Amino acid sequence: PLFDDLNSMVVYPNPLSLAKGQTSFTFGNLPAHPICIKIYNIAGELVYEKEQQTPDGQLYQLKWDAANNDGDSVASGVYIFLIEDETTRQQKRGKIAVVR
């Protein structure tokens, strides 16, 4: 099914275990609208930002490979994500963890 809002959004795996061979987080069940994701470290510093839109009629997901905007791998730890639906301005926040 296609989703109209962020209420059904899921993120997995959480935590992301690099030692187990996991390579990226998947943010799934996103609405087919323009989406902006921002990921912050625990100090509140922006480490990653991306805007994305999916073609109509496709299931919408966004992947983050645990790298910052420069392409460098982030450190182990807890990160805060903020996803905003740029059409409705609805936001969803949560915590994710990277484990080496």
Side-chain angles (χ1 to χ4, degrees), residues 68-93:
N68 64 21
N69 284 331
D70 295 327
D72 299 324
S73 295
V74 298
S76 293
V78 176
Y79 293 84
I80 310 297
F81 68 83
L82 171 65
I83 295 180
E84 182 175 8
D85 181 327
E86 295 185 341
T87 300
T88 66
R89 295 294 181 216
Q90 181 187 17
Q91 296 182 339
K92 182 130 185 188
R93 295 175 182 90

Side-chain angles (χ1 to χ4, degrees), residues 13-44:
N14 192 15
L16 178 73
S17 176
L18 299 174
K20 291 182 180 177
Q22 299 168 339
T23 59
S24 63
F25 289 98
T26 299
F27 295 84
N29 298 349
L30 298 172
H33 302 153
I35 296 291
C36 179
I37 184 169
K38 295 179 182 179
I39 298 178
Y40 300 88
N41 62 21
I42 204 71

Side-chain angles (χ1 to χ4, degrees), residues 55-77:
D56 288 338
Q58 293 185 15
L59 291 179
Y60 191 36
Q61 64 183 17
L62 187 145
K63 293 194 179 272
W64 180 49
D65 61 358
N68 64 21
N69 284 331
D70 295 327
D72 299 324
S73 295
V74 298
S76 293

